[in-house]
Amino acid sequence: MELTRIPKRKIDRAKIVVGIPRAFLTFRYQTLWQSFFDALKIKTVMSQPTNLETMTKGENKANSEMCLAMKIYLGHVASLEGACDYVLVPRIADFGIRRVMCTTFQALPDLVMNIFRHASFKVLSYNVDSRLKTDEKEAMIAMAESLGFSHSEAKKAYKTAHKASEDAYDQQVEENEKLYKQKGLKIVVAGHSYVTEDRYIGKPIFDYLKDNGIIPIRADLVDRKEALKAAHKASPTLKWELSREIVGSLAMHYKDIDGVILLTVYPCALDSMVNDMIMRKNKMAEIPLLQLTLDAQSGTAGLETRLESFIDIITMREEQEDHGEE
């Protein structure tokens, strides 16, 4: 499968501009990608944070069955039109046996190339797929080689970027873990980083919780190795990598929190199954739990009403426990 539209002619590397859509896996790999291109001295441009215009652009490009996160992603890709030569759209299929990604991430380069077939930019991609025995390192080195860099140049850039990414994530996890030990009511928001970190759909929920005296904690920021072990105990057959990290994170921390918000976007098939499993099988059933499904509606009144009620439930439960009531 051809994943790039890189011309075979010699490329002037000094003039390359790579666009990065501020959506989907960018929130997971931003440091890795940015450091990689910086090391290769390739100029990058990132789309602006999501706003109503981004949403509208994405909805115009998407079909009705695509999830909200996909519509947002397409809006970010559209916003990079005219600002770059290439748009980075990786294909990440899996990380090994029972460690697969959503099919959206497997099909993403093909989807973008077809939807934006008349765009001025080309799609730049790399392919992570255990069946093809290509891991992240090999795939990103191959991508750089396709741009005209030598193997040694690409390998050195990946080494630098990988370390920067690991260091940055470790720091994020360390800061997140500190929140579990703070005094006060703590609610874990269990959602994918492209939902929790998105300024337009996810951040307002964190802001609302903070404004109402709650300590919001992200479930997706966790020691991934430990989370995968914990997830296996909760469900040995769960195979989606990002969902396993979240399930494992909840299993590791449920004793330290007062409530859980399962945050998803409509219509995410994976979350609909995984969240149901969390509610039915996990020990989280002992803790107040709210499931929020975000759609493209711009109003927040209904969302705030549900959050307000959920906070009231947790607060009353806390007060009853303080008074020794059952």
Side-chain angles (χ1 to χ4, degrees), residues 168-186:
Y169 186 70
D170 287 346
Q171 186 173 354
Q172 278 188 300
V173 172
E174 184 178 344
E175 294 299 318
N176 200 57
E177 288 292 326
K178 290 178 181 176
L179 297 177
Y180 288 106
K181 299 175 182 177
Q182 286 190 10
K183 292 183 178 179
L185 292 176
K186 296 179 279 287

Side-chain angles (χ1 to χ4, degrees), residues 98-143:
R98 291 193 183 280
R99 298 184 62 190
V100 305
M101 296 288 277
C102 169
T103 52
T104 294
F105 298 121
Q106 299 181 33
L108 203 55
D110 293 321
L111 286 169
V112 172
M113 279 194 285
N114 277 284
I115 293 172
F116 294 92
R117 56 187 175 277
H118 300 304
S120 60
F121 58 75
K122 299 177 179 65
V123 170
L124 177 65
S125 187
Y126 63 86
N127 188 11
V128 178
D129 190 332
S130 67
R131 293 172 302 173
L132 302 176
K133 301 186 185 305
T134 53
D135 61 16
E136 177 186 273
K137 177 181 178 180
E138 294 169 337
M140 290 186 68
I141 289 174
M143 177 178 68

Side-chain angles (χ1 to χ4, degrees), residues 53-72:
E53 183 181 359
T54 315
M55 296 271 285
T56 303
K57 283 183 177 179
E59 286 184 299
N60 291 338
K61 293 289 185 182
N63 68 44
S64 59
E65 295 183 356
M66 289 179 173
C67 73
L68 178 61
M70 183 65 194
K71 293 174 180 174
I72 290 174

Side-chain angles (χ1 to χ4, degrees), residues 33-80:
W33 295 343
Q34 191 66 62
S35 301
F36 185 71
F37 289 122
D38 286 350
L40 294 173
K41 301 187 184 326
I42 291 179
K43 185 179 179 182
T44 59
V45 57
M46 185 171 288
S47 56
Q48 294 299 307
T50 307
N51 53 34
L52 184 57
E53 183 181 359
T54 315
M55 296 271 285
T56 303
K57 283 183 177 179
E59 286 184 299
N60 291 338
K61 293 289 185 182
N63 68 44
S64 59
E65 295 183 356
M66 289 179 173
C67 73
L68 178 61
M70 183 65 194
K71 293 174 180 174
I72 290 174
Y73 183 83
L74 293 177
H76 281 277
V77 173
S79 70
L80 289 168

Side-chain angles (χ1 to χ4, degrees), residues 214-229:
I214 301 295
I215 302 170
I217 306 174
R218 286 174 54 186
D220 61 305
L221 289 178
V222 64
D223 183 320
R224 289 171 179 157
K225 289 183 179 178
E226 293 302 318
L228 293 180
K229 292 178 186 176

Side-chain angles (χ1 to χ4, degrees), residues 225-238 241 243-249 251-252 277:
K225 289 183 179 178
E226 293 302 318
L228 293 180
K229 292 178 186 176
H232 184 76
K233 293 178 182 178
S235 175
T237 58
L238 185 62
E241 183 79 350
S243 299
R244 291 174 71 209
E245 292 174 2
I246 291 173
V247 168
S249 178
M252 290 165 62
M277 183 272 292

Side-chain angles (χ1 to χ4, degrees), residues 296-309:
Q297 293 181 350
S298 57
T300 60
L303 182 68
E304 292 179 357
T305 299
R306 295 192 67 192
L307 287 172
E308 182 181 10
S309 299

